Amino acid sequence: MNRKKIISVIALLCLLPTAIRAQGFYEQRILYPIGTDNGKRVVTVFQTFNTSDERILANAMLWAINTTCAQERDQLFDINVNRKTFSFNTTLEELDKGKTKYSFTCKVNIRVSEGKLVCTVYDISYKTGFILASDFPLERLNDEKPKQKEVLNAFQRQTSGMLNLMFDAVAGNRCLPISHWNDIHLQRPVKGMNEAECLLAFGKPQSIYEPDANGVQWSYNLNFVLIFRNGQLATIIR
C-alpha cells in the first residue's frame, strides 16, 4: 500500500468516531430497557452532556413545554428550577396504517446534576386500539405471553423515541442564554427577559400577535400580556 493510500485510510478512521457521534440519538434508534421499582414498571435512563446544568435544564424544559403542553405549562408539574428538576405528563401512540394500535400515558421526571440528565418514566398505563375506552396499568402485562410482550415492545419503542428526541434537543443546545433563573422560579415577569426565559416561566401563550417587525405580543389568561421588542420583554400588562 503506497503512502497516499495509507494516509487516506488513517484519515477515514479518524473521521469515523466523529461521524458516529454526529448521528443523533433518535436517528440511532437507541432503546432503553423497561425495569421495575417496588413492583411498578419504570424506565430510568441518563445521558451526559458537555454543557452546564442550567443549559441542560433549560433545553429539556423548553422541549417538554413545546412538545407536551397545549397552553402555558399545563402538562408540567413539580417544577423546581433551583433544584433543577421538573416532571411532565405525556401520551405516546403506536400507529398501524394510520390508526392507533396502542396508546400509553405516563409521567416523566427530569433531574439534572453534574452534567447528567436523569429521566424516570413512571405511572404507566396503556390502551389498545380495540378497547380505547379501557385503561390498564403496564404491570398487568406478562413478558412471557407473546401478545402482551408485543405491547411492552411497543411501549419501549415509543418511550425510547420520546427520550431520544429530548436528548437531541438538549444536545443541540439551541436555546437563548438564560440569566433570570430566580424570576423563572417565581414566575415573575421582568423587563429584559428574553422569549425563552418567558416560555420557561409561563409556558405557551394563548395567542401571539406581531404588530410590527420589531414587536411581538404574547397573551395569557386573565389579561396577562407580555410585549417584546427586539427579542426582549419591554412591556408587562396585567
Side-chain angles (χ1 to χ4, degrees), residues 32 43 92 106 121 154-164:
Y32 305 107
V43 176
L92 308 169
C106 56
V121 184
F155 173 73
Q156 184 185 30
R157 286 191 296 271
Q158 295 306 315
T159 194
S160 296
M162 171 195 67
L163 294 173
N164 286 330

Side-chain angles (χ1 to χ4, degrees), residues 37 43-49 52-54 56-58 60-61 77-88 108-122 163 166-167 170:
D37 183 18
V43 176
T44 300
V45 62
F46 75 86
Q47 290 292 344
T48 302
F49 297 93
S52 68
D53 287 356
E54 288 76 13
I56 295 171
L57 177 67
M61 199 166 162
F77 61 99
D78 292 344
I79 304 166
N80 191 321
V81 297
N82 291 334
R83 294 183 178 180
K84 299 179 179 61
T85 183
F86 70 96
S87 298
F88 62 90
V108 184
N109 174 255
I110 302 297
R111 292 181 291 113
V112 181
S113 178
E114 299 180 345
K116 292 180 181 178
L117 174 61
V118 184
C119 310
T120 302
V121 184
Y122 65 102
L163 294 173
M166 179 169 61
F167 295 154
V170 174

Side-chain angles (χ1 to χ4, degrees), residues 25-234:
F25 292 94
Y26 187 79
E27 192 176 1
Q28 293 179 67
R29 298 182 181 274
I30 300 170
L31 291 176
Y32 305 107
I34 303 172
T36 57
D37 183 18
N38 292 323
K40 298 290 185 179
R41 303 261 190 187
V42 297
V43 176
T44 300
V45 62
F46 75 86
Q47 290 292 344
T48 302
F49 297 93
N50 187 27
T51 188
S52 68
D53 287 356
E54 288 76 13
R55 296 289 295 178
I56 295 171
L57 177 67
N59 281 290
M61 199 166 162
L62 287 170
W63 178 88
I65 290 169
N66 284 318
T67 304
T68 68
C69 298
Q71 62 182 23
E72 300 181 10
R73 303 190 305 188
D74 58 355
Q75 296 303 316
L76 273 62
F77 61 99
D78 292 344
I79 304 166
N80 191 321
V81 297
N82 291 334
R83 294 183 178 180
K84 299 179 179 61
T85 183
F86 70 96
S87 298
F88 62 90
N89 300 302
T90 191
T91 299
L92 308 169
E93 290 187 339
E94 175 103 334
L95 301 179
D96 182 22
K97 297 178 180 178
K99 295 183 179 180
T100 301
K101 187 175 184 181
Y102 306 116
S103 177
F104 306 95
T105 59
C106 56
K107 294 177 171 59
V108 184
N109 174 255
I110 302 297
R111 292 181 291 113
V112 181
S113 178
E114 299 180 345
K116 292 180 181 178
L117 174 61
V118 184
C119 310
T120 302
V121 184
Y122 65 102
D123 197 10
I124 309 159
S125 60
Y126 74 96
K127 301 175 184 179
T128 69
F130 305 105
I131 322 174
L132 281 177
S134 302
D135 199 335
F136 303 106
L138 206 65
E139 293 77 31
R140 176 172 173 165
L141 298 174
N142 187 336
D143 302 57
E144 297 180 358
K145 295 185 177 181
K147 290 290 186 182
Q148 296 183 25
K149 179 65 173 176
E150 179 184 333
V151 181
L152 288 168
N153 288 340
F155 173 73
Q156 184 185 30
R157 286 191 296 271
Q158 295 306 315
T159 194
S160 296
M162 171 195 67
L163 294 173
N164 286 330
L165 286 171
M166 179 169 61
F167 295 154
D168 280 337
V170 174
N173 197 20
R174 296 186 184 94
C175 80
L176 295 168
I178 308 297
S179 59
H180 293 82
W181 279 111
N182 191 51
D183 300 310
I184 292 169
H185 177 68
L186 297 173
Q187 290 189 282
R188 177 174 60 195
V190 175
K191 290 182 179 181
M193 295 175 78
N194 59 42
E195 293 182 2
E197 290 173 323
C198 290
L199 195 60
L200 289 168
F202 311 110
K204 288 182 179 178
Q206 283 192 334
S207 64
I208 298 177
Y209 171 61
E210 298 185 17
D212 56 61
N214 297 318
V216 179
Q217 178 176 302
W218 288 9
S219 298
Y220 291 87
N221 279 326
L222 305 175
N223 298 318
F224 176 38
V225 177
L226 304 178
I227 300 175
F228 298 87
R229 287 286 176 186
N230 299 314
Q232 291 192 325
L233 183 57

